[in-house]
Amino acid sequence: MRYPCAVFLLLFLTAACAGGAASSVPTEPPPTTPPYPVGQMTDQTLVVGGVTRQFRVHVPAGTTTPKAVVFVLHGGGGEGLDVSVLGQHALSVFRTVADREGFVVVYPAGLPANDAQRLAGWVDCRADNTVASAADDIGFLAALVERVRTAYGLTSARMFMTGGSNGAQMTHAFAFNRADLVGAVATGSGSLPVTPKTGGCATGPSRPLPIMILHGSGDTQMPWGGGCVADIGGNCNRGRVISAEATRDRWLQINGLGGVTPTTTVVDSSAADAGPASRFDYPGAAPVRWWRLDGAGHTAPSRTVLSPPNPVTGIQNRDIEFAEIVWAFFKARLP
């Protein structure tokens, strides 16, 4: 009868604490194949709380022991797991970066919302989001992070999470509730709620956590100055968020950096967008990196996956590549 590796670890520790010989404990032979197919992206499932959840795993060629795992959360809407399709969405560029850098990318899938469109989304910390499903997405993501971490034999310090829009809000929510499972997080165009749910969503993370935050000053869907999220129908049924700057300030408080003066870097490599990208670095044991994209709308910034100006989502910033700057932040946090 075969047991999971975790069981044998528990038996080993029990025997050691009792003074038993380590040699008497059965050992699990090393796996002959990686936990997920190498050199391709595959669809996987995980049952959590009786619900079957989907996720995609991209493993670069030749990568059997990755240096890290990056969980990339799609936004709310119709894209879902299609954000992983190369050339279709800026979040797909994480696959290209992973192939060069040797980390694994995991794209989890949210469940359909309870509105008329029934599009995939995440149940984050907004207590006033009346169209969200009843899914336990924090529980799902926690189980998924642990599943992949254990499969590769990595520490939590090598697990990272990022997302855009609703995926960014879910990343905030996960960080507030399960900071113990990740080494750092990064968000794009997703702010903290005005009315958070009780528990971790209200009290904040159990420890300071390195974070990169990005937001466009022309974003109306996740309003830069705060307000109703994607209020297309005028009902504000997706809840309200605080401003991008207030979200930054909340994390500065969490990480004990309220009095720190940031260093500033400006990137303005494209004349086809609305303005430069300014990076503000707040150094510390748990640093905060904040990107302000002048005039940019809700679309994730990219130099390679270009989106035309849209009356709803606004103008895309083309000075920076979201996947590249996120990985640069994560890479610097590796043990």
Side-chain angles (χ1 to χ4, degrees), residues 116-153:
Q117 294 177 308
R118 298 282 294 166
L119 301 177
W122 298 102
V123 182
D124 52 72
C125 280
R126 287 170 288 170
D128 54 351
N129 180 3
T130 60
V131 302
S133 72
D136 176 14
D137 281 332
I138 291 173
F140 161 53
L141 292 174
L144 178 59
V145 170
E146 282 291 81
R147 161 75 70 89
V148 179
R149 183 192 67 78
T150 304
Y152 282 112

Side-chain angles (χ1 to χ4, degrees), residues 260-272:
V260 174
T261 300
T263 59
T264 304
T265 304
V266 178
V267 183
D268 193 8
S269 60
S270 174

